[in-house]
Every structure is written in C-alpha cells, then in structure tokens.
C-alpha cells in the first residue's frame, strides 16, 4: 500500500482532492434519491497518529520507525476490528507536526488528545474518553521550588513540549501568568531542566517516568499535586475525506462498546513491558 504524503506537496494536495471526490461520488451514488450518505470504499483504511514521545501510550517502533506502537496503538487495532476497517498507526513527526497534519486532513485520526477549544476547530472529539491522565511538575533534584498550587509557578521559568495542552483551565492560566518555553521534544526539555535553563518541566507522569528511565537520568523528581487531570480522547480531523456522519456514528458506538470492556489497563501493563524491552536502561 502506498504511503500517504505527510507534507503539503502538489501530489498530496492532488491525493486529498481525489479522495474527496471519491467520497462525494460514492456518497451520491450509494445514497440515491434518499440523500443518505454511505461510507465509500476508499475509507476502508484510516491513518492515525499521535504523540510519538508518549510511552507506554505511544512511541516509534524500533523495528520500523515509520510506525507507532504502544497501548493507544493496540487500542486502535481493537477499534479497527470493531469497525471492520484498517487503521494504520503512522509516525508523521513530533507532536506539533501531528496536529498540523490533522488540521490539513493528511491524517484521519489522533489516538490520544486532550480537549481544548482551539482543537475543536479542526477535530471532532469522541466520547467516552478512553483514559484519564495526570500532568505534573518535574524539577531538578536540587530544586527548592515549593509547589502546591498554580500560583507557586509565577516568576519561574517553565518548559514543555510544543503544542502540549494541560487542560483548558491551566492553559488559560499559563498564557496569562506563567513563563513557559515550548521545545520540540521531551529529551530537549529534560536537558534544559538539567542544565538550569528551566526551573520546572510540565509533562505527564507515566510518559515522563518512562523517558527518564530510558535516558538513565536520576537527578529529576516529580512534584505533587498534579497540575491537571485530563481525559485522553480519540479525534477525527474535520478535513479528513473519511469524516462522514455515518463513520462518526460507527466510531462512537465502537468506542462505547470498548469502554465497557475497559481494555486500557491490560494494554498499559503489556506495553510497559514492551517499552522496557525497547529501552535497555529501563529496570
């Protein structure tokens, strides 16, 4: 199967336009005089992506770095079985690039995104959310930062990964009151923390712990309480040529069925072990 382009080249624009016309023609042909829209055959394959620095939820497959693996990737395969479609978990770049690809409709699904108002302008969110996460403050082990509430971060230099969100309320507070630099990768953010170029790092607990173990870093610690507790959602890009009411309904029904089985704890346990195999420094 040929790979979908991941940059807005003339070829990728032509492919997107071609898929849209196929969706339109198939919908008109299959819908008949009733006006009903049926999902065309071209959308039997959906391309999904997500944050590639997000173990045990998602990370690049060392055996094939064009693919993403992890608990969220496994969940997408269970969703694919429910839908009777193929879902390709594709690496398209860092987290910021993933969101740009969704905006442009060059990927169909994001397997794991927090809800924010700006993102609703280019993605549909599905409920129920498939997991709850905790975002926390990380500091150098020698730091004297006494964190108990958001206002304790005022006047300190923060860092996080570009286009990360920590919930609508905290994002709004951060824009108004905090100094937070955004960088391209979690490794870069951790290095800034180690070198004293940032007073604190904001990131989720489990992925942060996983990366610190992989990099064999001992001098960074996590503070409590959490900055935010946020739900992870599956999203569908507005500009995806597969985004039809019929498909959205099928995905919503399938997610409700999967939520009843609650597979993510099992998938997380499995992928923590897989991450350890992929990361020799993890004990």
């Amino acid at each position: 199967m040929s790979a979908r382009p991941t940059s807005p080249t003339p070829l990728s624009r032509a492919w997107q336009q071609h898929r849209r016309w196929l969706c339109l023609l198939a919908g008109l042909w299959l819908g008949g005089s009733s006006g009903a829209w049926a999902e065309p055959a071209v959308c039997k394959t959906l391309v999904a992506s997500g944050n590639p620095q997000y173990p045990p939820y998602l990370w690049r497959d060392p055996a094939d770095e064009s693919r993403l693996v992890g608990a969220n990737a496994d969940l997408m395969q269970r969703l694919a079985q429910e839908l009777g479609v193929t879902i390709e978990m594709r690496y398209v770049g860092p987290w910021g690039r993933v969101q740009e690809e969704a905006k442009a409709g060059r990927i169909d699904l994001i397997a794991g995104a927090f809800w924010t108002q700006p993102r609703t302008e280019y993605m549909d969110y599905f409920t129920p959310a498939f997991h709850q996460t905790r975002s926390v403050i990380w500091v150098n082990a020698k730091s004297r930062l006494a964190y108990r509430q958001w206002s304790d971060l005022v006047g300190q230099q923060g860092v996080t990964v570009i286009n990360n969100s920590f919930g609508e309320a905290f994002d709004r507070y951060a824009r108004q009151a905090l100094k937070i630099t955004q960088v391209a990768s979690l490794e870069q953010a951790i290095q800034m923390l180690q070198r004293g170029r940032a007073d604190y790092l904001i990131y989720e607990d489990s992925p942060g712990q996983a990366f610190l173990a992989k990099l064999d870093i001992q001098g960074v610690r996590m503070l409590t309480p959490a900055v935010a507790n946020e739900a992870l959602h599956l999203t569908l890009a507005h500009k995806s040529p597969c985004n039809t009411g019929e498909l959205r309904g099928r995905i919503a029904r399938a997610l409700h069925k999967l939520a009843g089985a609650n597979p993510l704890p099992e998938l997380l346990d499995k992928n923590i072990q897989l991450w350890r195999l992929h990361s020799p420094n993890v004990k």
Side-chain angles (χ1 to χ4, degrees), residues 35-279:
W37 286 74
E39 186 188 0
V42 73
C43 289
K44 291 301 181 184
T45 296
L46 301 172
V47 175
S49 193
N51 187 344
Q53 294 189 314
Y54 205 38
Y57 303 104
L58 285 176
W59 71 95
R60 296 177 77 176
D61 184 353
D64 179 0
E65 292 197 338
S66 69
R67 296 178 60 246
L68 295 177
V69 295
N72 292 5
D74 289 348
L75 184 67
M76 290 303 98
Q77 297 316 304
R78 295 197 182 186
L79 177 65
Q81 292 174 5
E82 291 291 334
L83 295 174
V85 302
T86 298
I87 298 179
E88 295 181 3
M89 282 302 305
R90 189 175 297 172
Y91 171 75
V92 299
W95 181 223
R97 177 65 180 273
V98 171
Q99 294 169 72
E100 292 301 320
E101 295 295 288
K103 284 183 184 179
R106 289 188 291 270
I107 61 173
D108 303 303
L109 302 167
I110 290 185
F114 295 163
W115 187 94
T116 70
Q117 183 65 47
R119 290 177 184 174
T120 63
E121 296 176 3
Y122 62 90
M123 298 191 298
D124 291 314
Y125 279 76
F126 291 98
T127 57
F130 60 82
H131 192 56
Q132 297 288 327
T133 67
R134 290 198 321 152
S135 296
V136 297
I137 298 296
W138 300 87
V139 295
N140 189 292
K142 298 179 180 178
S143 172
R144 296 184 178 180
L145 176 63
Y147 169 74
R148 289 293 179 270
Q149 56 191 356
W150 296 350
S151 59
D152 294 331
L153 303 175
V154 174
Q156 305 291 319
Q157 178 61 59
V159 65
T160 192
V161 177
I162 192 169
N163 286 347
N164 252 12
S165 168
F166 303 102
E168 193 77 9
F170 181 82
D171 289 351
R172 182 168 54 251
Y173 180 81
R175 286 192 297 269
Q176 296 170 351
L178 303 182
K179 298 185 296 182
I180 302 176
T181 299
Q182 296 187 344
V183 296
S185 69
L186 181 55
E187 288 98 332
Q188 185 179 352
I190 292 172
Q191 289 171 2
M192 288 181 64
L193 192 63
Q194 287 184 298
R195 295 170 183 172
R197 294 171 56 196
D199 299 310
Y200 65 90
L201 161 68
I202 307 179
Y203 209 75
E204 288 169 62
D205 52 0
S206 294
Q209 289 168 331
F211 262 88
L212 290 171
K214 180 180 182 180
L215 299 172
D216 199 21
I217 292 174
Q218 307 296 324
V220 173
R221 60 190 175 94
M222 178 176 66
L223 302 181
T224 56
V227 165
N229 296 277
E230 290 295 319
L232 270 182
H233 292 266
L234 175 66
T235 68
L236 177 62
H238 289 171
K239 289 188 177 180
S240 163
C242 297
N243 190 337
T244 65
E246 193 271 348
L247 179 62
R248 291 195 302 273
R250 289 171 58 198
I251 291 175
R253 289 190 295 273
L255 281 176
H256 273 278
K257 182 177 179 180
L258 287 172
N262 191 25
L264 210 67
E266 171 197 342
L267 297 179
L268 284 170
D269 288 344
K270 167 193 166 186
N271 280 282
I272 287 170
Q273 300 305 317
L274 181 60
W275 170 254
R276 287 172 175 162
L277 289 174
H278 288 176
S279 308

